[in-house]
Amino acid sequence: MSKFFIGMRSLRHLFWACAVAAAACGQIPDRSADAQAAEQHVAAIYQAIEAKDFSKAAAMYSPLFYKEHSEDEWAGHLQELNKQLGDLQSFRLTKVISNSNFSGVFLTLKYKTHYSKHDAFEQFVFTTPPGGGKLQVVSHKVDIDTFNS
């Protein structure tokens, strides 16, 4: 009898471990209001990129993003990426990472993007000021997946 009980307990633990693993692999865990707002913001950036309105896309980044280069330079960079990657076909959110500390809230959104010439992995970092306020894009990184393209 006790052997059966221990077996059932182990089976129950295995079931929950599998359920947690399946949920972690198939879903984005952070669906906070900030994460949803950031997703909508990225979708708007991608819509502008799809329409090849690179100036509009560049206008959606934080002034903090433009400490090292101008908005016009970034719009030109987005246009060059379009020439290299091709037209944006689709994008899929793959991961949301949320951190908060004395500097404010930081959200990292990772995407798998499909362009007509190459696929890419893109990462957007958002922040809110310590006293609150609107989420702002402070970083956008694009890694081209030339291996699978």
Side-chain angles (χ1 to χ4, degrees):
M1 178 78 171
S2 65
K3 196 173 198 180
F4 179 74
F5 180 73
I6 292 170
M8 289 302 288
R9 185 184 309 171
S10 297
L11 185 59
R12 184 177 45 187
H13 288 242
L14 179 62
F15 170 78
W16 285 111
C18 289
V20 169
C25 291
Q27 301 209 0
I28 307 302
D30 187 340
R31 290 291 189 205
S32 68
D34 282 343
Q36 290 175 8
E39 287 178 57
Q40 292 172 355
H41 194 98
V42 172
I45 290 171
Y46 281 140
Q47 287 172 353
I49 290 171
E50 282 178 315
K52 297 186 180 182
D53 191 346
F54 305 110
S55 294
K56 181 178 180 181
M60 295 183 208
Y61 293 76
S62 165
L64 295 171
F65 183 83
Y66 294 115
K67 284 192 171 194
E68 296 186 23
H69 46 266
S70 72
E71 190 173 312
D72 289 337
E73 288 173 324
W74 183 247
H77 180 70
L78 291 174
Q79 188 169 14
E80 287 301 315
L81 280 172
N82 178 256
K83 289 176 186 175
Q84 184 178 6
L85 297 170
D87 294 333
L88 179 62
Q89 307 288 306
S90 64
F91 57 93
R92 180 176 55 87
L93 181 64
T94 60
K95 191 169 191 175
V96 175
I97 302 167
S98 178
N99 290 311
S100 57
N101 59 33
F102 64 91
S103 298
V105 175
F106 293 88
L107 281 171
T108 302
L109 279 66
K110 295 184 177 194
Y111 287 83
K112 172 74 172 155
T113 49
H114 177 69
Y115 292 86
S116 58
K117 295 179 185 176
H118 295 285
D119 289 342
F121 299 98
E122 300 191 40
Q123 175 177 292
F124 292 84
V125 177
F126 286 80
T127 189
T128 56
K134 186 178 173 186
L135 280 170
Q136 303 174 349
V137 179
V138 294
S139 175
H140 180 186
K141 181 180 177 186
V142 179
D143 291 321
I144 302 169
D145 183 11
T146 56
F147 182 73
N148 289 318
S149 298

